Amino acid sequence: MRLVASLLAGALVAAPALAEPDYAPRDVVEVENADWTRDAVLYQVNTRQFTPEGTFAAAQKQLPRLAAMGVDILWLMPIHPIGETNRKGTLGSPYAVRDYRAVNPELGTEAEFRAFVDEAHRLGLKVIIDWVANHSAYDNPLTQSHPEWYTRTPEGALTSPAGTDWSDVADFDYSQPALRQYMTESLAFWVREYGIDGFRCDVAGYVPTDFWETARAELNAIKPVFMLAEWEQRDLHARAFDATYGWGWKEAMQRLVKSGEGAGPMRGYFAGQSETWPRAAMRMVYTENHDQNSWDGVAAQIYGPAYEAAIALSFVGSGLPLIYNGQEADNDRQLKFFERDPIVWKEGRHAALLTRLIALKTANPALHNGRFGAGMVEVPTSQSADVYAFTRGDKGARVFAVFNLSPRPHAITFSHARHHGSYTDAITGAPASFGGDESLDLPAWGYRIYTETK
């Protein structure tokens, strides 16, 4: 017993002292956002449907219009050759990639794609392309040259990603270091050879986070890039992605429209965003994209009379807004995914609103993205169950917004002085002043956006 006690005493004496704890808060986001992402608005291009020709050359002619509209980053859906084995529809899914370092000839030549990127850059636009790292087409040559890079069934056959109906693609196995090297070098190829500015990464959460972190570091060594993850997970922002999908925003908006319950779901979304996500994390918000699109077809069914308010909130609330091609033209149907189905371009009912909202976001630092913008401070109202009001920014440079997120009209009064000041209506240009005794009338799904005047 004495020997044991002696040994224990010696162990206690020999134990190293604990390091002094550091209680200072740390920013978990180590990604450095390129300055051009500060006030960026995304615009998604489905090249196959964007023009009657469905080509880069034809899409290039639309670039001056997009630049004039004020968008900043063009996201092109996958531009690579599409697999034929197990192809869906006539033309197949652009997410079934047959060659990661080539251009789909249906969209144009490599020279035409390069010309598209160069012209976009000349006009001050950035270009990111869709990247499908999780899986490839079944007839991608990698299935023959590197069969060990793919997930296998117990019988040894190629297989689609588990739990999906993606029968036209074969799942990669990211335990293979050589696959990681090939995929990272392929990403770098497009940045180095074509000067693209980043990537939208398909089902990013199906690929290990450490792969994305390594890839981001290698891409940033070439030039600053913007990375958007199709996923909703905080740790992706640490060292890999600038932005993730704000699916919760879309779900909250659709829920309150369908139920008519009022502002609760959206208030809850923004509270969760403020409390649980890093301030530097950019969250992409949208009413439509390639999985859910068309104003008269899908959006009108889902959002109905709340559609305009939903668009406006996506620009003035915290978030990185996305416009889907054709949204500004009131596209009247859900675009086909596996066939040619060109957008019919016309002057849309919301084209001017979108342009105005982009200009508003650009001109007001409070509305900028992620770390660059200001948080949302709720302004309580007499109708808080249905109405969500908030300010963003410091006094003298604030944006004050009031949204009636219900199918009921309201006369609204405000119970706190968080918004008092002189403003201009951002949509109409009319002056407005708030000092404590005002009543604001809002119709069902009505909204007001004000910018402070000094």
Side-chain angles (χ1 to χ4, degrees):
M1 285 294 291
R2 291 178 180 175
L3 177 60
V4 171
S6 177
L7 290 173
L8 288 173
L12 290 173
V13 170
L18 291 174
E20 187 69 24
D22 180 7
Y23 297 111
R26 294 183 295 275
D27 188 349
V28 300
V29 177
E30 298 177 19
V31 166
E32 294 186 13
N33 312 115
D35 191 64
W36 46 265
T37 66
R38 178 183 300 270
D39 60 350
V41 173
L42 284 163
Y43 185 95
Q44 184 182 2
V45 178
N46 182 342
T47 309
R48 177 186 284 174
Q49 319 296 19
F50 191 57
T51 62
E53 300 85 353
T55 63
F56 299 124
Q60 183 175 329
K61 298 175 183 178
Q62 295 279 343
L63 292 178
R65 177 182 68 81
L66 297 178
M69 187 178 179
V71 299
D72 303 282
I73 302 174
L74 305 181
W75 152 23
L76 271 61
M77 287 174 63
I79 64 168
H80 310 298
I82 296 171
E84 296 183 8
T85 301
N86 299 340
R87 173 174 283 195
K88 293 186 176 183
T90 304
L91 298 177
S93 168
Y95 293 89
V97 176
R98 196 171 62 197
D99 187 342
Y100 285 94
R101 301 185 188 182
V103 166
N104 183 351
E106 298 169 17
L107 306 180
T109 66
E110 293 179 357
E112 288 168 334
F113 176 66
R114 191 184 305 276
F116 176 93
V117 175
D118 289 346
E119 178 64 6
H121 286 166
R122 188 187 72 80
L123 293 169
L125 300 168
K126 302 296 183 181
V127 178
I128 67 174
I129 62 174
D130 225 316
W131 196 260
V132 190
N134 171 251
H135 50 263
S136 79
Y138 272 92
D139 51 353
N140 188 307
L142 297 176
T143 62
Q144 299 298 317
S145 60
H146 294 284
E148 73 280 7
W149 289 0
Y150 287 85
T151 303
R152 300 283 170 169
T153 68
E155 295 73 29
L158 295 173
T159 182
S160 300
T164 74
D165 62 353
W166 305 341
S167 58
D168 55 343
V169 294
D171 190 57
F172 278 124
D173 176 4
Y174 270 81
S175 70
Q176 301 293 318
L179 167 63
R180 291 173 173 235
Q181 180 180 356
Y182 166 83
M183 196 62 70
T184 303
E185 290 174 351
S186 297
L187 288 160
F189 168 83
W190 292 97
V191 176
R192 185 179 292 112
E193 299 301 321
Y194 290 86
I196 69 157
D197 303 292
F199 300 89
R200 177 268 187 187
C201 299
D202 187 61
V203 289
Y206 281 19
V207 177
T209 301
D210 64 326
F211 163 78
W212 294 121
E213 292 176 342
T214 299
R216 175 63 184 261
E218 294 196 26
L219 294 174
N220 273 359
I222 303 171
K223 74 172 193 177
V225 295
F226 170 78
M227 301 288 284
L228 166 63
E230 189 201 18
W231 209 250
E232 199 164 20
Q233 187 172 314
R234 286 180 297 177
D235 63 355
L236 290 175
H237 289 276
R239 288 173 293 277
F241 289 95
D242 300 85
T244 52
Y245 270 50
W247 280 317
W249 185 96
K250 177 176 66 69
E251 291 163 359
M253 193 70 201
Q254 292 180 356
R255 171 183 159 182
L256 68 86
V257 170
K258 183 177 181 180
S259 68
E261 65 190 270
M266 190 56 73
R267 179 178 286 108
Y269 167 80
F270 282 122
Q273 173 70 22
S274 174
E275 295 293 333
T276 66
W277 286 79
R279 180 171 172 269
M282 299 182 189
R283 310 300 316 290
M284 189 185 77
V285 294
Y286 61 92
T287 57
E288 307 169 43
N289 73 354
H290 65 281
D291 291 323
Q292 172 198 304
N293 65 84
S294 87
W295 192 87
D296 288 324
V298 175
Q301 296 172 22
I302 294 176
Y303 300 103
Y307 182 60
E308 186 174 310
I311 293 174
L313 185 56
S314 74
F315 277 84
V316 298
S318 62
L320 172 68
L322 168 74
I323 299 170
Y324 182 64
N325 57 190
Q327 189 172 355
E328 71 271 39
D330 294 349
N331 178 46
D332 62 359
R333 67 196 180 284
Q334 183 162 5
L335 301 176
K336 296 177 181 177
F337 204 74
F338 309 115
E339 313 290 344
R340 287 277 291 121
D341 187 19
I343 297 166
V344 177
W345 288 100
K346 59 183 181 294
E347 186 67 24
R349 282 164 283 178
H350 298 96
L353 174 65
L354 288 166
T355 300
R356 192 175 294 117
L357 288 169
I358 294 171
L360 175 70
K361 182 178 180 69
T362 302
N364 290 273
L367 302 184
H368 289 179
N369 300 316
R371 69 176 85 243
F372 302 115
M376 300 170 67
V377 177
E378 184 169 3
V379 178
T381 76
S382 58
Q383 302 292 336
S384 289
D386 284 350
V387 175
Y388 187 54
F390 58 89
T391 64
R392 295 185 68 185
D394 296 328
K395 185 173 177 57
R398 290 175 296 185
V399 174
F400 173 41
V402 188
F403 283 82
N404 180 7
L405 298 177
S406 82
R408 296 166 286 276
H410 286 296
I412 303 157
T413 58
F414 303 93
S415 56
H416 289 68
R418 298 171 184 174
H419 63 299
H420 288 183
S422 297
Y423 294 85
T424 298
D425 189 305
I427 304 301
T428 68
S433 181
F434 295 94
D437 57 355
E438 301 81 18
S439 177
L440 187 64
D441 292 326
L442 284 181
W445 308 113
Y447 66 93
R448 298 287 187 274
I449 302 169
Y450 302 96
T451 56
E452 193 166 18
T453 55
K454 296 182 180 179

